[in-house]
Amino acid sequence: MRIAEVSRNTLETQISVSINLDGTGVSKLASGLGFFDHMLDQIARHGMMDITVSAKGDLHIDAHHTVEDIGITLGQAFAKAIGDKKGIRRYGHSYVPLDEALSRVVLDISGRPGMEFGVEFTRARIGDFDVDLIHEFFQGFVNHALVTLHIDNLRGDNAHHQAETIFKAFGRALRMAVEADDRMTGIMPSTKGTL
């Protein structure tokens, strides 16, 4: 089973994350940030992964450290759970609409961190959540999961819809990339022989 649990404790945050890449889309989320928990739930549900996040952060300052460190910790758990990567599809992509909004996510479980983030949110905050933190979450994940990630919001007028399509598309792309490829059983999906 591709399961991992990681804890990260700093002077700013105390975070525990568990992930089951072959789950049923169940999440238990306690980031202290309602909107962010809603977004993390999209990853679990659409990625068909079980994700648990427990976080205590310096929210009296702002949400930056908490959101970024959850991205880091989730990335570390993902890297641990994915194992040697033999037999996986490796690449994943998804387009997801929500009313007027449409986002595309393409990723490669490459062993190399890299991100392109083509998103212009229509407002700076969704409720009290700073939309800049969405970039910080994904950057933290990418740096520690060692994946290449391209996120593009192709259209949207409602910032909540923009964000939700991004997280749903990310979950679906990740699900595709980690799936077993019956034609690649036991084979590393790279001509280098390693990822």
Side-chain angles (χ1 to χ4, degrees):
M1 302 255 333
R2 299 181 298 173
I3 298 173
E5 185 171 344
V6 174
S7 292
R8 174 183 168 85
N9 295 300
T10 72
L11 295 176
E12 298 166 338
T13 61
Q14 295 81 49
I15 296 168
S16 179
V17 168
S18 67
I19 189 169
N20 177 356
L21 299 180
D22 303 302
T24 59
V26 174
S27 63
K28 294 177 186 170
L29 306 166
S31 70
L33 302 159
F35 175 76
F36 189 53
D37 283 349
H38 179 46
M39 294 300 102
L40 294 173
D41 187 38
Q42 304 308 317
I43 297 173
R45 186 70 51 90
H46 293 276
M48 290 301 287
M49 300 172 190
D50 297 340
I51 298 174
T52 301
V53 174
S54 176
K56 290 186 175 147
D58 53 0
L59 296 179
H60 62 285
I61 296 174
D62 71 5
H64 187 283
H65 298 141
T66 300
V67 172
E68 180 180 32
D69 287 2
I70 288 172
I72 290 168
T73 311
L74 185 62
Q76 291 170 337
F78 176 86
K80 191 174 174 184
I82 195 67
D84 66 10
K85 304 174 189 170
K86 286 182 180 176
I88 64 167
R89 293 193 184 281
R90 177 180 169 178
Y91 300 99
H93 63 273
S94 181
Y95 285 81
V96 170
L98 175 56
D99 297 342
E100 87 299 342
L102 175 65
S103 292
R104 173 185 61 216
V105 173
V106 182
L107 61 85
D108 176 8
I109 303 176
S110 61
R112 296 182 308 279
M115 185 170 79
E116 293 293 328
F117 191 78
V119 182
E120 292 185 21
F121 285 102
T122 57
R123 63 180 190 265
R125 302 187 86 73
I126 301 170
D128 60 358
F129 188 85
D130 180 351
V131 298
D132 286 346
L133 300 183
I134 293 172
H135 179 279
E136 298 306 316
F137 166 76
F138 284 112
Q139 190 67 68
F141 179 86
V142 160
N143 288 346
H144 293 270
L146 302 178
V147 302
T148 303
L149 177 64
H150 289 249
I151 298 174
D152 293 288
N153 174 241
L154 304 176
R155 63 180 59 91
D157 300 319
N158 181 306
H160 187 131
H161 292 174
Q162 289 176 289
E164 193 162 332
T165 57
I166 289 165
F167 280 85
K168 285 177 175 175
F170 175 71
R172 289 191 167 268
L174 204 56
R175 175 181 172 183
M176 180 186 292
V178 303
E179 282 178 342
D181 182 342
D182 292 340
R183 296 179 66 196
M184 293 286 288
T185 301
I187 299 171
M188 182 64 67
S190 170
T191 55
K192 290 191 292 289
T194 186
L195 286 173

